[in-house]
Amino acid sequence: MDGLSPRAAATRQRILDAALAEFAEKGLAGARVDEIALRAGANKRMLYAYFGSKEELWLTVLEGAYAAKRAEERALCVEALPPAEAMRRLVEFNLRYTAAHPEFVALLNQENIHRAAYLRKSEGVPALYSPLLGQIGAVLTRGAEAGVFRRDVDPVQLYITIVGLGHFFVANRYTLATALRAEFGSEAALAERERHAVDVVLGYLRP
């Protein structure tokens, strides 16, 4: 919202922060507006004034989570790196970001339960992915021209693979650890997964 006073902007941000925590813990259905307002030190009237409804607040939080990840992804500046190093950074980033932001995993899981019913209303999130896929495509082109990457790679399929290699491991680490009788919560386990994910992607990309 443009034109908010500093105090109003701060209140709005507290509501968003509180909503992120509440939604990540309880999902859209389980979250309560009263609890979000209490966490934010605000009242429900302000919440409805800024966001209209719990569902609109959910979408705003979801869009913010996507935008935060994309902002950090852009900060990698992979355009300035050799192709293989650029791809390595993208793989490592996606795994590490997912591990560092369990709330993002929780939001995505919840939105998939709703079959992206709320995300479909967003114009901002799809717009974030066009430059991302362009960024990956540019790295692939540079790699192919340098003779270090194969030439038949679909940027969309590769991005899904990169995200999947990290997201599945993080989102399912408790069930994986129990079923496989392994320990996946440590830094050593994360680093081992990181090495494997990089090897899988760079191995696939070899010409």
Side-chain angles (χ1 to χ4, degrees):
M1 289 184 177
D2 295 327
L4 289 179
S5 69
R7 182 177 179 181
T11 300
R12 184 178 185 276
Q13 187 58 52
R14 287 202 313 274
I15 292 170
L16 285 173
D17 293 342
L20 174 59
E22 184 76 4
F23 286 140
E25 288 177 14
K26 302 173 184 174
L28 175 59
R32 295 289 177 264
V33 169
D34 286 340
E35 287 298 317
I36 294 171
L38 184 63
R39 281 180 184 244
N43 57 54
K44 286 195 295 184
R45 180 181 60 80
M46 298 303 296
L47 187 151
Y48 288 124
Y50 291 139
F51 301 103
S53 68
K54 184 173 78 166
E55 290 72 21
E56 290 176 77
L57 177 58
W58 166 264
L59 179 56
T60 303
V61 168
L62 192 62
E63 289 177 325
Y66 273 101
K69 184 186 178 193
R70 184 66 188 112
E72 290 198 29
E73 219 156 18
R74 281 196 302 269
L76 296 175
C77 297
V78 296
E79 300 84 358
L81 300 172
E85 179 61 23
M87 198 58 67
R88 176 187 297 275
R89 291 283 184 89
L90 286 169
V91 175
E92 291 171 346
F93 169 79
N94 274 279
L95 172 61
R96 292 283 175 173
Y97 189 92
T98 305
H101 294 276
E103 75 284 357
F104 186 56
V105 175
L107 291 177
L108 265 60
N109 288 347
Q110 280 291 316
E111 185 62 11
N112 275 288
I113 288 172
H114 295 288
R115 300 185 179 183
Y118 300 97
L119 194 62
R120 271 194 225 99
K121 301 173 184 177
S122 173
E123 295 181 1
V125 171
L128 292 172
Y129 276 80
S130 292
L132 171 61
L133 294 174
Q135 181 184 52
I136 292 172
V139 172
L140 290 172
T141 297
R142 288 196 293 115
E145 290 173 350
V148 296
F149 290 166
R150 57 196 289 177
R151 293 183 174 274
D152 59 345
V153 181
D154 181 340
V156 173
Q157 291 298 330
L158 181 64
Y159 180 70
I160 294 170
T161 296
I162 289 171
V163 174
L165 286 168
H167 185 96
F168 184 88
F169 175 77
V170 174
N172 298 280
R173 65 186 180 276
Y174 300 112
T175 50
L176 285 171
T178 300
L180 299 174
R181 296 182 179 178
E183 197 285 305
F184 291 136
S186 67
E187 167 57 28
L190 187 63
E192 184 178 4
R193 181 62 189 172
E194 183 178 55
R195 288 191 295 272
H196 177 79
V198 168
D199 287 347
V200 166
V201 172
L202 292 183
Y204 165 73
L205 289 175
R206 289 192 193 103

